[in-house]
Amino acid sequence: MKRPPLSLYVHIPWCVQKCPYCDFNSHALKGGVPEEAYIGRLLDDLRADLEWVQDRPLQSIFIGGGTPSLLTPSAVERLLSGIESYLVLADDCEITLEANPGTFEKERFQGFVDAGVNRISIGIQSLHAEQLKRLGRIHDPDQARAAACHAKELGLTSYNLDLMHGLPEQSLAQAMADLDEIIALDPPHISWYQLTIEPNTSFASRPPTLPDDDTLWQIYQQGHNKLAAAGYQHYEVSAYAKPGHQSRHNRNYWQFGDYLGIGCGAHSKISLIEQEQILRCEKIKHPQGYLNLSKPLRYRTWYVDKAELNFEFFMNLLRLNEPMHKRLYADRTGLPLEHAERALAPAIDKGLLTSNEDFWSTTPLGRRFLNSILDEMV
């Protein structure tokens, strides 16, 4: 086992309102964001986790949520300055902040950039007014377009636009119209993903009518071709990027790298080289409990069972649309290569994967049925 790159995830749990499809740990805001108390608690959280860092520099920071753009620029500056007081940041550290177009003001976002943010991910989701209402979004199409245009003017290293497809009663033409307009905005990175109905959401209790499977497949095929023709590389299941603009933070997740997670419900994954163990940690989930100084920040901590490492490793690696280097398996799991070869044999036999001396690769059939590869693992 070798020491992987290290990233940091920071969770901001508040939103203006909860979207009906969202199963993330987010909470509708009642009153103002308790910035001072929460940033202080985040830094306490980070300080407690320094024992796991092993003097590695941070290659990326991702401030997600929730709606992190509800924070003021001064709060983000305090957060990033605090992080830098505890950890070394790589010279090219990617620092991403998620943003809602409904909270996007040009001066405010310039303040985020001045604080150290160099990448913004904007949750547009649709440019169709009625769909935005169905999705519970607080912005309208004009605000989404304005946010995308402002992002281009901020001098960022990169930025991302989030777009969903397979929306309630969405036709192929409507999905392609949304995608055409996003492509015309020319962002360096597009996250284009299908709406799914998750348990414990409003949509789960009152399911909307979604497009049928044939329509969903047509949307995917035509959309993928449009993105490729526009110069976007399909590098991850739902992520497309211009050359040089892949998300470093997300790639570290999918390559089974290490990450600290601070904030409500945040998760960490850390390789303990000397013990040849992988440690996982989950923080206390509810903001009220997290802000309670008398309560511990860690909800639970555990070691990953070695019997589960094959599944965990490939569940992540398979998201990347590229060959999987066999050397990375030993480096990140500490297990003999034979364990993986044995586990993947059924998927190879069924034509879902190919294998050579250095790489495993998904076939076109395997890319379409990624979950089947995991189901075939023994």
Side-chain angles (χ1 to χ4, degrees):
M1 183 183 288
K2 294 184 179 179
R3 192 163 287 139
L6 180 69
S7 295
L8 174 67
Y9 175 75
V10 183
H11 190 70
I12 309 299
W14 295 284
C15 290
V16 174
Q17 64 186 29
K18 183 83 171 180
C19 296
Y21 60 86
C22 179
D23 68 337
F24 294 158
N25 182 28
S26 60
H27 303 262
L29 188 63
K30 298 175 182 179
V33 176
E35 287 187 336
E36 184 174 352
Y38 194 70
I39 299 299
R41 203 67 167 137
L42 286 171
L43 296 177
D44 290 342
D45 195 351
L46 178 60
R47 184 169 58 249
D49 288 353
L50 293 178
E51 60 180 302
W52 297 333
V53 170
Q54 304 152 334
D55 298 324
R56 282 176 287 173
L58 284 178
Q59 72 151 13
S60 65
I61 300 170
F62 195 102
I63 307 171
T67 306
S69 53
L70 288 172
L71 296 175
T72 61
S74 60
V76 172
E77 182 177 16
R78 182 186 168 204
L79 171 64
L80 293 177
S81 295
I83 292 169
E84 285 194 79
S85 71
Y86 292 125
L87 293 169
V88 174
L89 274 58
D91 291 341
D92 59 349
C93 184
E94 176 190 87
I95 304 176
T96 302
L97 182 136
E98 285 188 327
N100 187 313
T103 63
F104 204 111
E105 301 165 0
K106 190 172 182 180
E107 294 77 15
R108 183 186 189 89
F109 278 76
Q110 184 61 58
F112 293 145
V113 174
D114 294 341
V117 171
N118 55 32
R119 186 177 184 273
I120 287 176
S121 182
I122 305 173
I124 287 178
Q125 315 312 5
S126 178
L127 288 165
H128 188 280
E130 186 59 34
Q131 289 289 9
L132 289 173
K133 290 180 183 177
R134 288 174 175 170
L135 295 173
R137 305 299 288 174
I138 64 170
H139 65 275
D140 60 35
D142 287 341
Q143 288 174 308
R145 295 181 187 102
C149 292
H150 289 331
K152 187 176 291 189
E153 301 167 358
L154 286 172
L156 295 160
T157 302
S158 191
Y159 65 94
N160 168 65
L161 302 183
D162 265 5
L163 181 70
M164 300 174 75
H165 62 87
L167 303 180
E169 301 178 14
Q170 187 179 50
S171 68
L172 172 62
Q174 290 170 340
M176 291 303 97
D178 259 359
L179 186 57
D180 282 337
E181 188 165 356
I182 290 293
I183 290 172
L185 291 168
D186 196 34
H189 189 288
I190 297 173
S191 295
W192 187 59
Y193 55 98
Q194 182 182 323
L195 172 66
T196 56
I197 305 301
E198 302 295 341
N200 303 314
T201 63
S202 294
F203 272 179
S205 59
R206 296 183 296 277
T209 301
L210 301 182
D212 59 39
D213 287 344
D214 286 344
T215 301
L216 290 173
W217 181 237
Q218 288 181 311
I219 289 172
Y220 172 78
Q221 285 187 309
Q222 291 193 26
H224 175 77
N225 291 338
K226 283 179 181 288
L227 286 157
Y232 291 93
Q233 178 192 6
H234 185 203
Y235 74 96
E236 188 263 338
V237 168
S238 57
Y240 296 76
K242 296 280 184 72
H245 289 279
Q246 295 184 7
S247 167
R248 293 183 66 197
H249 188 87
N250 287 344
R251 278 191 65 86
N252 193 44
Y253 284 151
W254 310 140
Q255 291 182 319
F256 212 49
D258 281 356
Y259 49 91
L260 291 175
I262 60 173
C264 298
H267 287 250
S268 300
K269 177 254 173 184
I270 298 293
S271 302
L272 303 177
I273 306 303
E274 291 75 15
Q275 297 96 318
E276 295 190 342
Q277 295 271 8
I278 290 178
L279 180 77
R280 288 197 177 274
C281 177
E282 181 183 357
K283 303 300 171 59
I284 193 166
K285 191 170 184 178
H286 197 278
Q288 185 175 356
Y290 188 85
L291 287 168
N292 188 334
L293 298 178
S294 67
K295 290 191 175 183
L297 291 166
R298 294 176 186 173
Y299 172 64
R300 62 182 181 129
T301 303
W302 70 101
Y303 294 105
V304 178
D305 191 311
K306 290 189 183 295
E308 299 173 0
L309 276 179
N310 270 339
F311 184 87
E312 288 212 11
F313 178 84
F314 287 107
M315 180 179 64
N316 285 281
L317 263 290
L318 283 166
R319 288 190 65 97
L320 290 173
N321 193 18
E322 62 191 38
M324 299 173 285
H325 207 298
K326 294 183 176 182
R327 186 180 62 239
L328 192 66
Y329 176 81
D331 289 349
R332 300 288 160 92
T333 69
L335 297 175
L337 186 60
E338 291 76 17
H339 284 216
E341 298 282 17
R342 185 167 56 250
L344 296 177
I348 292 171
D349 290 343
K350 292 190 175 183
L352 302 172
L353 288 174
T354 61
S355 176
N356 62 28
E357 184 177 349
D358 296 316
F359 297 98
W360 298 288
S361 298
T362 50
T363 63
L365 181 65
R367 291 307 304 169
R368 187 173 178 184
F369 299 104
L370 288 177
N371 286 339
S372 297
I373 298 175
L374 297 172
D375 292 341
E376 291 291 339
M377 292 182 66
V378 293

